[in-house]
Every structure is written in structure tokens, then in C-alpha cells.
Amino acid sequence: LNESHQQNFDKLIVFLTQLKKNSKLIDLHTLATASHILSALPQDKIFPILDIIRLLIAHSPTAAIFFVKKQNILNFTSPEKWQQLSKGAKLMFLRILCNIYKYVDGILKQNIADQLELIIYFAINTITSKTSSLALTASALLCNIALSNMVKPESDEEADMISAIVELIGTSGMIN
């Protein structure tokens, strides 16, 4: 990290440590630093920054907007790269997507709708994981999607999503 990135990373750490103290909104330069770190790290080293981004999005609408609109978090990976991510990185990425759904009814609705097929791909291709935390997070993401849409399935992707949820519920070994 250069000096500017280090200063912004330090702000990021302060923001995260003050979450329970009702801290002020995080600035865009700090969010850009987190995005820069994510893009600069090799895939086998991204788990910690994904976890930081997850926390930022969970506690800051500004961060959610930034990582969906400005630095589209979904551009970070693709179906091909998804298969190569570690279980931990997949888990954090799915949790990021779950946290984004906290804001999806507002300003992010269209941005998420434009990426829905890719989001569903990640969830469906993880829901049958033998790692219960991955399977449950994928099912939570699919439930978030279903709840945000609350309409009769109009596409194959939506029908696949509902089928995957039903399959997960029906497989008792995954839930136990």
C-alpha cells in the first residue's frame, strides 16, 4: 500500500472498531482503498478484505452503494473464477451479497436486478456444498432474493432459485 492507501486503510479500521458507537459515514476514498486491496490481492489471499467489505456493507448504506454502483463487487468474480475461490472466500462473498439485500428495496434495486442471474448462479452452485455454512448462506441469499421479488416466478432463473430452496429444505443432512 502506498501512503495514501495506508491512511485510508487506517480510517477503515477506525470505522470498523467504532461500529457500535454509531460512527459517522465512511468516506469514498476509504472505500476505494478497500476495493483497490481486493483487486490487487491474489485470489488465495482475499478472505480478510472480503470480510472487511462485508462488515462495511452491513453497517453502511454508503458502502453498499459504493460496492454495487461504483465498484461493482460482482465484477470481481465470474462463474469460472467462482469455482477457484476458497470456501472461506465464497462464504464471505455470499455474505456480502446477503448484506447488500438489506438495501435492495431502495436505491440498489435496479443494479441488483441487472445482476440477478449471476447472483443466482453463485447461490445455486454453492447451495449443495457439504460445508453447512456455505449451504446455509447460499440458501439465505436465495431467500433474500425471493423476499425482495415476492412475485410469481417469471423466468427459469427464478424457478431454479425456488427449486433450490425447496431442495435444501428437503435435505435434512444439510440443515442439521
Side-chain angles (χ1 to χ4, degrees):
L1 296 176
N2 64 30
E3 187 175 330
S4 173
H5 285 138
Q6 185 61 51
Q7 290 172 349
N8 287 322
F9 188 75
D10 292 343
K11 287 182 195 176
L12 204 147
I13 299 304
V14 168
F15 176 83
L16 292 173
T17 57
Q18 294 179 354
L19 286 176
K20 293 188 180 188
K21 296 179 185 176
N22 200 11
S23 62
K24 62 182 178 181
L25 293 178
I26 192 163
D27 66 78
L28 294 179
H29 296 293
T30 304
L31 295 172
T33 296
S35 180
H36 170 76
I37 292 169
L38 177 62
S39 63
L41 288 173
Q43 295 227 352
D44 63 335
K45 306 258 189 248
I46 61 169
F47 175 84
I49 193 65
L50 284 174
D51 197 21
I52 289 171
I53 291 170
R54 176 189 64 83
L55 288 169
L56 289 170
I57 290 171
H59 297 283
S60 170
T62 303
I65 291 166
F66 178 84
F67 282 105
V68 172
K69 286 189 158 208
K70 283 201 170 266
Q71 300 290 321
N72 189 340
I73 193 79
L74 291 167
N75 288 340
F76 163 74
T77 193
S78 65
E80 296 79 30
K81 289 181 183 176
W82 183 256
Q83 301 307 323
Q84 298 169 5
L85 289 177
S86 70
K87 288 178 183 177
K90 285 180 182 178
L91 180 63
M92 284 305 110
F93 196 79
L94 290 172
R95 286 181 176 172
I96 285 169
L97 294 173
C98 283
N99 288 346
I100 286 171
Y101 268 88
K102 180 177 179 179
Y103 310 105
V104 85
D105 286 337
I107 194 164
L108 299 178
K109 190 166 186 90
Q110 186 57 48
N111 297 84
I112 292 298
D114 292 343
Q115 304 280 333
L116 189 57
E117 187 176 336
L118 186 59
I119 294 169
I120 291 171
Y121 171 87
F122 294 145
I124 287 176
N125 282 284
T126 310
I127 201 164
T128 57
S129 172
K130 298 209 186 298
T131 305
S132 62
S133 57
L134 273 172
L136 291 174
T137 303
S139 65
L141 177 57
L142 291 171
C143 287
N144 286 346
I145 293 168
L147 289 172
S148 76
N149 289 312
M150 292 297 286
V151 293
K152 187 176 177 182
E154 296 179 359
S155 69
D156 290 341
E157 289 84 14
E158 289 175 345
D160 288 346
M161 175 183 62
I162 293 168
S163 295
I165 292 171
V166 170
E167 180 181 336
L168 177 67
I169 292 168
T171 41
S172 61
M174 251 184 230
I175 306 255
N176 294 335

